[in-house]
Amino acid sequence: MEVRKIAVIGAGISGLGAIKCCLEEGLEPLCFEKSDDIGGLWRYKETPEDGRAGIYKSLTSNTSKEMTAFSDYPFPDHYPNYLHNSRMMEYLRMYARHFNLMKHIQFLSKVCSVKKRPDFLSSGQWDVVVEADGKQKTYVFDGIMICSGHYTDKHLPSQDFKGIQKFRGRYLHSWEYKQPDDFVGKRVVVIGLGNSGADVAGEISRVAEQVFLSTRQGAWIWSRVWDNGNPTDATLFTRYNKTVEKFIPTFLLNRLAENKLNSRFNHANYGLYPKHRVFSHQIVFSDDLPKNIITGRVLMKPNVKEFTATSAIFEDDTEEEIDAIVFATGYAWSFPFLQDESGILDSLNSLFKFVFPPQLEKPTLAFIGMVQTAGAIMPTSELQSRWVVHIFKGLKRLPSESDMMADLKRRRKKITKRSVQSARDARRVPYMDYMDEIASELGVKPNLLSFLLSDIKLAKELFYGPCTSYQYRLQGPGKWSGARKAILTQRDRILRPLSTRVPTPSSYPSSSVFWLKRIFAVIFLSVPMLLIIQMIHH
């Protein structure tokens, strides 16, 4: 069969995974990257550039390394569990070198337009106009993988804030924020309580006179560190936990999780208690926010009602003198290079399984990494790419348009039922459920029963251990011989960077006391579970 040419737009984490997946299936990718390097969101630059993601210098991942890794390339065992952006860039460079991806990337190349060819109904091909060195060139591709991300076009709703034109101080979007030096001794209001808002407010509070964190609806705050000091996602995202959740009503799951988060600090006492249930909206990670609030560095405030020349008036009618405003208000969905966008995306940006436009006559264009998950995006986008290249090659087929639209309606109904209504939550998916869903389409979801019969040690880790991406390389297309070892050693890689000082035996509790505590803990924890089961049966 003739090699099919695929355009990959963007050389960030999704783009690198897409290139590798194309090569894995014998396709010929050409990646267009408008900057001069790989990395996308994770590449820090001191000066923000229009059309590129912007991050602050201290940015650290919210997902742990074992849950974040590509499915056939684990992080080095000595890397910390949560990675600074510089470490993430090191990993991406190693990945690109290992799979020889760089030669397939054309840097300083801006995609100006992606348009169906005149014979699209029969060929499914695209005309792609790319500008490089001040000149434009048209390419013809058999397939398009859009990996440009959704953190480039900042959403700055200044028009929603009365009096912003009168304000004499500085205001900026968190996309422009790099480090706190410009806010020394200032009084700053940060608007928006997502991950960026919590991070930026905390970092500025170290040098500012006072920081006010303004939120419209509050948030549930999670920590990167869970029980026994283990990474939160590696602890919670297990097949065992997913199985238990199926037997517990949603309202009770929310209550149990909220009680757990409130045991760390009472959200109501800290001015954070939200209007939504914990699993109805995006997750916010912050290890420092409670500390910054209890020390007074950050003061929680409701939404801003109005700005004056020198102050902010909040909806509780309190007024605070301020010198600067940081809008941590998210990003807009935008693909300026798509020509005849209405023929590709409808007004709701409908995508079958958040990947394929269902109304497109030929399934030769796909969006990669455009979902919002509580888990890591890197393995999610990689799994999407593996599925997409199989569709491009004709090894897998999409359902009919009517079936895809019916699936979209069912999904929207489910999202509406469980989530806060927002553009971001419309693309929010349960991490493990979504990974298994795409894996099932591809035929790589691990068969636990077969492993239970043939490899009990592996089956135990698959069920009780972290649901890492290596699980999707055990069987089916793209099977990797190193997957079993990667799974059985994943806990070692979690502990390795923590083992820089080994305590002496006297530092440990005596064995009798230790086991006595364990027995009482098991009894104590069993009681609420028995009550839950009893409630379900009645």
Side-chain angles (χ1 to χ4, degrees):
M1 186 183 80
E2 183 181 354
V3 173
R4 293 169 63 84
K5 296 184 177 181
I6 309 298
V8 177
I9 302 176
I13 57 174
S14 295
L16 292 175
I19 297 168
K20 195 261 186 180
C21 290
C22 286
L23 295 172
E24 203 169 38
E25 292 300 327
L27 301 179
E28 186 180 312
L30 179 56
C31 177
F32 299 107
E33 168 56 47
K34 69 169 60 175
S35 73
D36 60 357
D37 202 358
I38 63 171
L41 172 70
W42 289 101
R43 183 180 166 220
Y44 173 77
K45 293 201 76 174
E46 192 66 39
T47 304
E49 299 175 1
D50 287 336
R52 283 194 72 247
I55 61 171
Y56 33 96
K57 193 170 186 177
S58 63
L59 180 69
T60 300
S61 66
N62 289 328
T63 57
S64 64
K65 67 175 182 180
E66 288 305 301
M67 300 299 295
T68 303
F70 284 116
S71 62
D72 54 359
Y73 196 74
F75 279 89
D77 62 356
H78 67 279
Y79 271 36
N81 281 285
Y82 291 97
L83 298 140
H84 184 261
N85 60 81
S86 59
R87 280 293 179 91
M88 187 68 79
M89 280 299 300
E90 289 175 5
Y91 172 77
L92 294 176
R93 294 193 195 286
M94 289 189 291
Y95 179 79
R97 284 196 301 269
H98 182 78
F99 292 107
N100 201 19
L101 306 182
M102 298 297 284
K103 68 179 183 180
H104 301 281
I105 305 172
Q106 188 172 301
F107 293 105
L108 299 174
S109 298
K110 177 185 176 183
V111 176
C112 301
S113 70
V114 174
K115 187 177 181 180
K116 298 175 186 175
R117 300 210 81 207
D119 63 347
F120 181 82
L121 289 177
S122 59
S123 70
Q125 291 182 322
W126 300 84
D127 283 325
V128 178
V129 178
V130 179
E131 183 176 318
D133 296 324
K135 299 177 182 178
Q136 290 192 349
K137 181 179 178 180
T138 301
Y139 298 80
V140 177
F141 287 101
D142 300 304
I144 309 289
M145 299 175 78
I146 298 176
C147 308
S148 52
H150 44 94
Y151 293 104
T152 55
D153 294 335
K154 55 185 181 288
H155 175 57
L156 188 70
S158 55
Q159 71 282 354
D160 295 344
F161 295 92
K162 184 180 176 183
I164 189 69
Q165 299 84 1
K166 303 175 187 174
F167 182 63
R168 293 203 295 259
R170 179 191 179 196
Y171 68 88
L172 67 155
H173 191 275
S174 57
W175 174 86
E176 302 168 68
Y177 172 81
K178 297 299 175 184
Q179 48 192 345
D181 297 357
D182 293 340
F183 300 94
V184 174
K186 301 289 180 66
R187 294 173 64 84
V188 184
V189 60
V190 177
I191 297 177
L193 182 50
N195 290 315
S196 296
D199 281 354
V200 170
E203 189 165 279
I204 291 175
S205 73
R206 297 172 193 163
V207 299
E209 178 185 322
Q210 185 63 64
V211 170
F212 306 96
L213 181 51
S214 169
T215 175
R216 192 187 301 269
Q217 59 186 11
W220 292 103
I221 307 299
W222 296 70
S223 171
R224 293 179 177 87
V225 184
W226 203 250
D227 294 346
N228 301 312
N230 293 316
T232 295
D233 54 357
T235 305
L236 298 183
F237 290 137
T238 71
R239 296 193 180 278
Y240 168 77
N241 286 341
K242 181 56 66 177
T243 302
V244 171
E245 286 173 13
K246 291 178 181 177
F247 296 97
I248 304 177
T250 301
F251 82 91
L252 194 52
L253 280 174
N254 277 307
R255 184 183 300 170
L256 290 169
E258 289 163 7
N259 288 343
K260 176 68 175 178
L261 296 179
N262 275 327
S263 69
R264 180 184 171 214
F265 70 94
N266 188 303
H267 283 59
N269 293 345
Y270 279 63
L272 289 163
Y273 194 83
K275 299 177 181 178
H276 57 270
R277 303 305 301 270
V278 65
F279 294 125
S280 297
H281 196 38
Q282 70 183 76
I283 284 177
V284 177
F285 278 94
S286 179
D287 300 298
D288 294 332
L289 186 57
K291 177 193 69 177
N292 292 327
I293 293 173
I294 203 169
T295 57
R297 292 175 180 270
V298 173
L299 298 180
M300 296 304 303
K301 303 295 286 186
N303 195 43
V304 174
K305 180 169 66 175
E306 182 181 355
F307 288 107
T308 71
T310 59
S311 67
I313 303 173
F314 299 92
E315 287 183 347
D316 60 359
D317 291 326
T318 58
E319 183 172 357
E320 299 287 353
E321 294 292 317
I322 59 170
D323 304 297
I325 308 164
V326 179
F327 286 94
T329 45
Y331 297 84
W333 175 290
S334 176
F335 304 98
F337 48 79
L338 283 183
Q339 299 292 303
D340 186 28
E341 187 172 337
S342 61
I344 300 172
L345 291 171
D346 61 18
S347 59
L348 297 176
N349 295 321
S350 299
L351 294 172
F352 177 60
K353 299 191 186 297
F354 302 97
V355 176
F356 287 100
Q359 297 167 327
L360 200 59
E361 300 90 343
K362 295 283 186 179
T364 56
L365 181 142
F367 292 82
I368 307 297
M370 301 300 171
V371 291
Q372 295 286 344
T373 82
I377 192 62
M378 193 182 299
T380 307
S381 63
E382 182 199 25
L383 199 52
Q384 288 176 331
S385 291
R386 292 173 65 190
W387 178 43
V388 166
V389 297
H390 277 71
I391 297 292
F392 284 177
K393 286 188 68 176
L395 300 174
K396 301 288 181 181
R397 301 182 70 85
L398 294 180
S400 66
E401 180 184 338
S402 60
D403 286 346
M404 287 192 282
M405 292 305 295
D407 180 85
L408 271 163
K409 288 179 182 178
R410 286 193 297 270
R411 192 182 296 274
R412 282 183 184 137
K413 186 176 180 180
K414 188 181 293 186
I415 290 173
T416 300
K417 185 178 179 180
R418 73 165 187 255
S419 299
V420 173
Q421 294 303 295
S422 71
R424 181 168 183 165
D425 279 304
R427 302 194 303 276
R428 193 166 64 89
V429 295
Y431 177 67
M432 286 180 60
D433 288 346
Y434 183 74
M435 292 287 279
D436 280 351
E437 182 180 348
I438 301 301
S440 296
E441 292 287 337
L442 183 59
V444 297
K445 180 183 175 182
N447 186 326
L448 291 183
L449 181 58
S450 70
F451 289 115
L452 187 62
L453 298 173
S454 63
D455 192 338
I456 188 68
K457 184 178 182 181
L458 178 60
K460 182 180 176 182
E461 186 63 15
L462 288 175
F463 188 65
Y464 291 107
C467 184
T468 48
S469 60
Y470 322 127
Q471 293 196 9
Y472 304 104
R473 289 282 182 179
L474 288 168
Q475 298 170 306
K479 180 180 177 180
W480 174 45
S481 61
R484 182 182 186 275
K485 180 181 178 182
I487 293 167
L488 294 179
T489 56
Q490 58 194 8
R491 296 178 193 256
D492 295 334
R493 287 190 298 278
I494 290 173
L495 292 175
R496 168 70 175 83
L498 302 175
S499 304
T500 54
R501 172 185 173 269
V502 180
T504 58
S506 61
S507 301
Y508 295 105
S510 66
S511 58
S512 58
V513 174
F514 175 74
W515 284 110
L516 196 59
K517 287 182 177 179
R518 290 292 295 270
I519 291 168
F520 278 118
V522 169
I523 295 171
F524 181 76
L525 292 172
S526 297
V527 172
M529 184 55 69
L530 288 171
L531 291 173
I532 291 168
I533 293 171
Q534 195 172 24
M535 287 173 62
I536 293 169
H537 282 296
H538 288 289

